[in-house]
């Protein structure tokens, strides 16, 4: 059946590009010199400066509206992007064109999970920047059109007590989702197996906020040739390196794998994440935790459930894991997934769980189908009964995100 | 339909444990002092010594015949294993009990892909050891029962010319399979994207020998907490470390993830491998190459095909990849998969390709269902038509391995 007009598409994964005043509008005067600011370099490029570092690519992979042949060219100035990337009023117009009702927008400059603030030297400044981003997200971006944006926040992941306090602050302001690293380990933080995060999991349960684990938010790039590298860009001799080559173009000299080899296996990061969380013992202590696996697809869920259950059945006798809780049951209870295109996942939707599948649009990144998202989602659901299609495009997301129709 | 009695099970992935004379029986006298030899340490443990290094665990994960509660205890002496681990005559008896006709046995001490020889200081010695292993495999182990063993060989992966010569030598002796690293990159060798391996791929095409890529043969352990570590064991203060903890027991101090988190995501290594090979451009140059993905399951194939095709469609315009060859087509042409238990894969067997699925037994490792393999394989195929079941358990393996019924 065709996707019915009354069914609204709620995307659980989109991206915004921070405009130049996000931080300067909000930081205390003492922080302005060191805080994030856009500087135009000698070649006319807009570049984020923060403390003594430079961060290339104001809009990494912001290619919405471009032909694939142009994908290799990262935007160098704000004018190189369509305004919907950084202007929430324009974005709503782009969502209208795309047939999308609501979007949950992840950060760009700070890294998907707030890595840039974690790596700052002055942690008080970093915390002020993080709160500025959260205020921008809720009070400026999402407030522009409250029915069209699902408020998302970041946390000061270097300090669990501050995480708890900030989560409560943003939840009170309406945040429905926190973008948290898909693994803290590559960032040098305690793993999901550690009790370190316990107070934060308590606070997520208390607030009902969803923990969204976006591919790449832990800054680990999958793939054999890429495994030892991180997403952090470097700037040498007036040219950006590493990320330029990895994320935007040809192979780099010390890594002859085309970057597409990593793009193809993004989901493996989230398989690792799920394995960590399912075997961590933390889910049993925090039965109301809700995780969204962002940009990971869904077609692999049943395979990995079977595998998790098999290794659990054999090794629970001597390994420090829960003897009684079946991994697939934990996964099905605590995790939601989403897809952009995943025919195999849709075909196996009943096995995956019709109430656990959401859609994502990924505007303005190259995985996005904008401005044809609704058309392609409708095509992917052509053989799916109306009731199930409605759950997938709208109802599951509204329920898990606590974002009801007004 | 029940699995018919006339259908023989051909396992494409089993393991043998080298007995103490594998090398000493074959090496020239000048190499005996430095070559691999079993030494009993002060605690009565049998330990491989090679050059100036020690290699713990004569039979890593050799748990066949043990209850899961005993899995954490690696065998310390040959008497701690059942004889089928290291005795080919006894192994045949164990295969009879298990309902298995033929097995393709991977090495243990040298590492699945020959890592130990690669890492040796004296490469002439290493090459002699490698040839000794290959001669042991073909002339001793497999010759014991030619209808029951599919000869497998290793290659001197540090020298591509020697690889070519050794491949031709072992192919002439009957080798049907080479165990090659699932990625050369973690071993410090050129990646699959490099033309470095071209002469070897030519030789594989010429000989018809299958390249089997076994999980872990590149010595990379998947999982966020484990990603930076290698399989190579260390021996400090009279105790084995790292691998002991990683592969056989509780969490290690610098890594609080239970090892089961890595076991659950073994297949992600082979997803990376497949992405490398599919996007390498080498398959188009070597149209007769045949790869077996060992110990990776099959249920994830359609998901990763869709994903590969999606990223190819978007990024082929500017990345150094083949514009015309669809990745899923390359995968379907060049790769075979196998499973131990994979209900989801069997359910989706037509999508995966009924002529591309084999079975593996994995004796004597913990993934194995010995002595119930045939019973469980039959159960997994209970709803599968006879003709398809026959392809999966026997005919596909016989064809790809060129191992006909005699």
């Amino acid at each position: 059946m065709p996707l019915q007009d009354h069914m609204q598409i709620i995307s659980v994964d989109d991206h915004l590009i921070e405009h130049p005043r996000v931080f300067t509008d909000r930081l205390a005067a003492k922080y302005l010199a060191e805080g994030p600011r856009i500087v135009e370099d000698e070649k006319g490029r807009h570049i984020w400066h923060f403390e003594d570092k430079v961060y290339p690519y104001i809009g990494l992979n912001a290619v919405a509206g471009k032909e694939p042949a142009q994908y290799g060219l990262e935007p160098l100035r704000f004018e190189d992007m369509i305004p919907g990337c950084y202007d929430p009023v324009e974005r709503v117009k782009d969502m209208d064109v795309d047939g999308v009702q609501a979007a949950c927008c992840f950060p760009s400059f700070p890294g998907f999970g707030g890595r840039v603030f974690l790596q700052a030297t002055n942690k008080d400044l970093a915390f002020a920047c993080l709160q500025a981003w959260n205020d921008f997200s809720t009070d400026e971006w999402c407030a522009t059109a409250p029915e069209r944006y699902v408020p998302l926040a970041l946390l000061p992941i270097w300090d669990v007590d501050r995480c708890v306090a900030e989560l409560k602050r943003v939840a009170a302001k309406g945040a429905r989702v926190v973008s948290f690293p898909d693994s803290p380990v590559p960032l040098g933080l305690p793993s999901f197996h550690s009790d370190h995060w316990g107070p934060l999991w308590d606070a997520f349960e208390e607030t009902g906020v969803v923990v969204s684990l976006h591919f790449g938010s832990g800054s680990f790039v999958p793939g054999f040739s890429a495994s030892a590298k991180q997403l952090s860009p470097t700037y040498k001799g007036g040219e950006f390196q590493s990320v330029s080559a990895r994320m935007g173009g040809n192979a780099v000299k010390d890594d002859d794998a085309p970057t597409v080899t990593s793009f193809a296996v993004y989901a493996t990061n989230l398989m690792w994440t799920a394995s960590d969380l399912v075997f961590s013992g933390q889910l049993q202590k925090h039965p109301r935790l809700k995780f969204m696996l962002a940009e990971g697809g869904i077609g692999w869920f049943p395979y990995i459930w079977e595998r998790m259950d098999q290794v659990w059945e054999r090794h629970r006798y001597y390994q420090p894991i829960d003897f009684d809780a079946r991994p697939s049951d934990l996964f099905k209870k605590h995790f939601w997934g989403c897809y952009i295109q995943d025919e195999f996942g849709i075909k196996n939707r009943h096995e995956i769980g019709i109430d656990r599948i959401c859609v994502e649009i990924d505007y303005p990144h190259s995985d996005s189908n904008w401005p044809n998202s609704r058309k392609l989602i409708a095509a992917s659901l052509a053989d799916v009964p109306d009731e199930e299609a409605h759950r997938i495009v709208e109802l599951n997301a509204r329920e898990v995100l606590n974002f009801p129709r007004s």
Side-chain angles (χ1 to χ4, degrees), chain A:
Chain A
M1 284 126 278
L3 191 65
Q4 302 296 304
D5 288 344
H6 70 88
M7 298 176 186
Q8 297 181 335
I9 289 178
I10 311 294
S11 163
V12 300
D13 172 28
D14 286 276
H15 300 267
L16 62 81
I17 311 297
E18 294 79 15
H19 65 66
R21 300 175 320 283
V22 164
F23 303 99
T24 50
D25 277 358
R26 292 174 173 85
L27 287 178
K30 65 177 176 177
Y31 287 139
L32 288 177
E34 293 294 304
R37 65 270 177 206
I38 288 287
V39 175
E40 189 169 324
D41 76 0
E42 67 280 7
K43 296 184 179 176
R45 297 177 293 201
H46 289 149
I47 295 174
W48 282 109
H49 285 232
F50 179 38
E51 292 188 318
D52 57 352
K53 297 198 187 76
V54 293
Y55 293 84
Y57 306 118
I58 45 177
L60 186 65
N61 200 227
V63 297
K66 297 185 181 179
E67 293 299 318
Q70 298 178 297
Y71 281 4
L73 306 171
E74 297 289 351
L76 301 177
R77 298 177 57 85
F78 281 92
E79 305 94 281
D80 293 336
M81 295 181 265
I82 59 177
C85 292
Y86 52 83
D87 179 332
V89 176
E90 293 299 319
R91 172 69 68 93
V92 167
K93 295 176 190 170
D94 288 347
M95 290 160 62
D96 287 340
V97 169
D98 207 24
V100 173
Q101 170 64 17
C104 181
C105 296
F106 285 74
S108 295
F109 159 70
F112 298 157
R115 164 184 51 82
V116 167
F117 301 137
L118 165 72
Q119 292 170 344
T121 304
N122 180 343
K123 284 299 191 293
D124 289 327
L125 166 62
F127 186 63
C129 294
L130 181 126
Q131 288 198 313
W133 194 94
N134 286 343
D135 291 346
F136 157 71
S137 172
T138 51
D139 303 343
E140 181 177 328
W141 186 275
C142 296
T144 306
E147 297 176 15
R148 309 298 295 275
Y149 293 119
V150 184
L152 176 144
L154 299 171
L155 295 181
I157 47 181
W158 59 88
D159 181 332
V160 71
D161 293 331
R162 275 189 153 175
C163 281
V164 170
E166 182 64 6
L167 174 57
K168 292 181 179 176
R169 187 184 80 88
V170 296
K173 287 159 63 78
R176 297 289 197 278
V177 180
V178 155
S179 175
F180 199 80
D182 59 359
S183 176
V185 172
L187 296 169
L189 298 170
S191 84
F192 286 138
H193 299 274
S194 163
D195 284 330
H196 172 84
W197 302 106
L200 179 58
W201 300 148
D202 287 338
F204 274 115
E205 288 190 280
E206 184 185 326
T207 57
V209 170
V210 170
V211 188
S212 192
L213 304 162
H214 191 293
F215 153 77
S217 51
S219 297
F220 178 86
V221 179
F224 275 119
S225 299
S227 60
K229 299 176 195 297
Q230 303 303 311
L231 274 168
S232 313
T234 56
Y235 185 86
K236 286 181 189 165
E239 291 300 326
F240 298 117
Q241 303 188 333
S242 184
V243 164
S244 165
R246 169 163 310 290
M247 299 300 286
N250 295 329
V252 294
K253 282 176 190 158
D254 59 339
D255 168 11
D256 58 359
T259 53
V260 75
T261 59
S262 291
F263 298 171
V265 294
Y266 275 1
T268 60
N269 272 25
L270 296 178
M271 296 178 202
W272 293 7
T273 296
S275 186
D276 273 333
L277 284 166
V278 157
F279 288 113
S280 70
Q282 299 296 329
L283 304 181
Q284 296 86 324
K285 294 179 189 170
H286 304 281
R288 289 176 293 155
L289 269 181
K290 296 177 288 188
F291 293 98
M292 177 67 71
L293 298 176
E295 204 155 347
I298 55 172
W300 50 270
F301 284 14
Y303 164 78
I304 213 78
W305 293 342
E306 258 195 273
R307 177 72 191 163
M308 286 175 171
D309 285 354
Q310 286 160 15
V311 298
W312 168 78
E313 283 174 359
R314 282 156 197 257
H315 299 285
R316 62 184 162 148
Y317 294 88
Y318 69 97
Q319 288 209 17
I321 55 176
D322 189 325
F323 193 85
D324 299 308
R326 182 169 287 273
S328 60
D329 290 339
L330 290 170
F331 190 122
K332 290 173 188 176
K333 177 181 175 184
H334 287 277
F335 289 86
W336 279 253
C338 54
Y339 75 97
I340 300 172
Q341 290 176 274
D342 194 335
E343 280 181 36
F344 186 64
I346 295 300
K347 176 189 165 193
N348 289 285
R349 66 191 179 279
H350 293 130
E351 194 144 351
I352 291 168
I354 203 70
D355 60 344
R356 283 297 186 273
I357 304 171
C358 301
V359 294
E360 59 178 315
I361 303 300
D362 203 35
Y363 177 109
H365 288 181
S366 64
D367 269 348
S368 176
N369 291 308
W370 184 87
N372 300 307
S373 299
R374 190 178 181 97
K375 190 163 66 180
L376 288 168
I377 288 171
S380 78
L381 299 171
D383 297 326
V384 173
D386 282 355
E387 191 183 344
E388 296 178 10
H390 200 190
R391 289 226 67 80
I392 290 170
V393 302
E394 177 178 8
L395 300 182
N396 291 337
R398 287 202 182 278
E399 287 171 12
V400 69
L401 301 175
N402 186 22
F403 191 73
R405 277 205 201 198
S406 56

